[in-house]
């Protein structure tokens, strides 16, 4: 029998956890950035230059995500949250699939694709329309341009969310890192914070990452296959 789960648990997820749901990752084979340059689409400069182009990309991705359902890896993390006394799920994903799978304690580091934020009055709203009736959309309150409520390169992460993620990483005894290339900062530093504080690091990824060399255990495979299997052996 495998050893039980120690103390508080933190989980960091990235695009790879949603790959088997049909959501494309960013980097690597089939990744979104094989076809689109990030600096043309995921930066504030790109949005200032051509808001319609940026919104067309997000509108397309919203349509794609809308047709996707959580997979066994999302479901396993929701089961773990229900079964363990202290689990914090930190995600870089904007797709909302963790919440759709039943996770409640989710810290979204890079925002959520289903929310808009007004560039004029700052109003944040949920908007689930697929496809948007007007591109680029405008604020019903003040008429200014709306933007996706996500974090682009060069922008700060939401401070309270980042603080909570940092605290969870610093005090966990086990950190699971699932489906991230671990190259985008500051998210990529969270596992290092956990390691520095003595946590056990488990990486779930079919490919090697800059974290692999420091992981105590590596589940080399697609998350929807290897994570449920790992949890079944440890379930309290
Ligand atoms: C599977 C699988 C399966 C496949 N199962 N796994 C320090 C040093 C250098 C640079 C910086 C630094 N600090 C900040 C920066 C700048 C920048 C940065 O990190 N750049 C690096 C790329 C070099 N960071 C920022 O700008 C951040 N802001 C910030 O730090 O503000 C302060 C500051 C600014 C400027 C300078 C200094 C300080 C903001 C980062 C925002 C990232 N935004 C995006 C877009 C979000 C909105 C949207 O979705 O459109 O977030 S970029 C994109 O990358 C997205 C993701 O969340 C993020 C991470 O990607 P992720 O999730 O890891 O996906 P992939 O595709 O990279 O990897 C998928 C993985 O899954 C792979 O490993 C596969 O093998 C695996 N996989 N199938 C399991 N079935
Ligand atoms: Zn407004």
């Amino acid at each position: 029998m495998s050893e039980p789960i120690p103390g508080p648990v933190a989980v960091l997820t990235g695009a790879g956890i949603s790959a088997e749901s049909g959501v494309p990752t960013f980097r690597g084979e089939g990744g979104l950035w094989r076809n689109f340059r990030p600096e043309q689409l995921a930066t504030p400069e790109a949005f200032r230059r051509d808001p319609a182009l940026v919104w067309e990309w997000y509108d397309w991705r919203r349509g794609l995500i809308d047709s996707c359902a959580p997979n066994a890896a999302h479901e396993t993390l929701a089961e773990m949250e229900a079964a363990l006394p202290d689990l914090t799920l930190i995600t870089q994903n904007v797709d909302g699939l963790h919440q759709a799978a039943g996770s409640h304690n989710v810290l979204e580091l890079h925002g959520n694709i289903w929310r808009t934020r007004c560039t004029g009055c700052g109003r944040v709203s949920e908007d689930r329309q697929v496809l948007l009736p007007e591109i680029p959309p405008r604020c019903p309150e003040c008429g200014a341009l709306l933007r996706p409520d996500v974090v682009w390169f060069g922008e700060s992460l939401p401070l309270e969310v980042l603080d909570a993620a940092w605290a969870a990483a610093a005090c966990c005894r086990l950190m699971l890192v699932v489906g991230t290339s671990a190259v985008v900062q500051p998210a990529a530093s969270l596992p290092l914070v956990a390691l520095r504080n003595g946590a056990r690091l488990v990486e779930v990824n079919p490919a090697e990452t800059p974290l692999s060399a420091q992981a105590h255990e590596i589940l080399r495979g697609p998350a929807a296959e290897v994570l449920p299997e790992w949890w079944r052996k440890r379930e309290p």
Side-chain angles (χ1 to χ4, degrees):
M1 198 63 198
S2 305
E3 68 270 32
I5 307 269
V9 177
V11 185
L12 174 68
T13 65
I17 196 169
S18 297
E20 287 150 280
S21 292
V23 182
T25 61
F26 292 92
R27 298 161 189 87
E29 216 175 299
L32 285 169
W33 290 346
R34 284 283 158 113
N35 303 319
F36 306 98
R37 302 244 311 276
E39 62 274 18
Q40 282 175 353
L41 293 161
T43 65
E45 293 74 30
F47 187 72
R48 272 195 295 276
R49 196 167 49 237
D50 195 342
L53 177 72
V54 171
W55 261 116
E56 272 160 24
W57 188 54
Y58 279 94
D59 202 32
W60 168 72
R61 285 175 59 203
R62 284 161 57 105
L64 207 152
I65 292 167
D66 187 53
S67 65
C68 296
N71 65 51
H74 298 104
E75 283 158 8
T76 296
L77 294 179
E79 278 172 36
M80 287 177 65
E81 183 189 276
L84 298 172
D86 187 350
L87 181 143
T88 306
L89 176 47
I90 306 162
T91 189
Q92 298 168 83
N93 298 347
V94 299
D95 56 29
L97 290 179
H98 284 304
Q99 293 88 335
S103 286
H104 299 286
N105 192 15
V106 185
L107 298 173
E108 293 181 318
L109 291 176
H110 295 160
N112 190 295
I113 203 166
W114 298 111
R115 289 194 307 261
T116 59
R117 177 151 41 94
C118 178
T119 58
C121 68
R123 184 172 180 253
V124 173
S125 313
E126 186 175 282
D127 185 340
R128 289 247 159 207
Q129 289 179 96
V130 171
L131 303 160
L132 290 169
E134 181 197 11
I135 285 192
R138 291 194 168 269
C139 176
E141 296 295 319
C142 76
L145 277 180
L146 295 176
R147 57 164 285 175
D149 191 26
V150 299
V151 181
W152 288 323
F153 282 116
E155 294 187 314
S156 302
L157 278 66
L159 197 61
E160 278 179 20
V161 178
L162 183 59
D163 279 353
W166 215 265
C171 78
C172 71
R173 305 306 308 143
L174 169 71
M175 179 169 248
L176 279 177
V177 181
V178 188
T180 177
S181 56
V183 294
V184 173
Q185 296 293 349
S189 294
L190 293 168
L192 306 179
V193 169
L195 276 173
R196 228 180 5 248
N197 286 281
R200 180 176 169 78
L201 186 69
V202 178
E203 180 177 67
V204 183
N205 199 313
E208 197 172 334
T209 77
L211 275 182
S212 302
Q214 296 179 74
H216 296 97
E217 186 179 352
I218 299 180
L219 312 181
R220 272 276 170 264
E225 281 175 30
V226 297
L227 189 60
E229 199 181 311
W230 178 88
W231 172 237
R232 265 197 304 276
K233 290 187 201 144
R234 281 160 187 82
E235 213 169 341

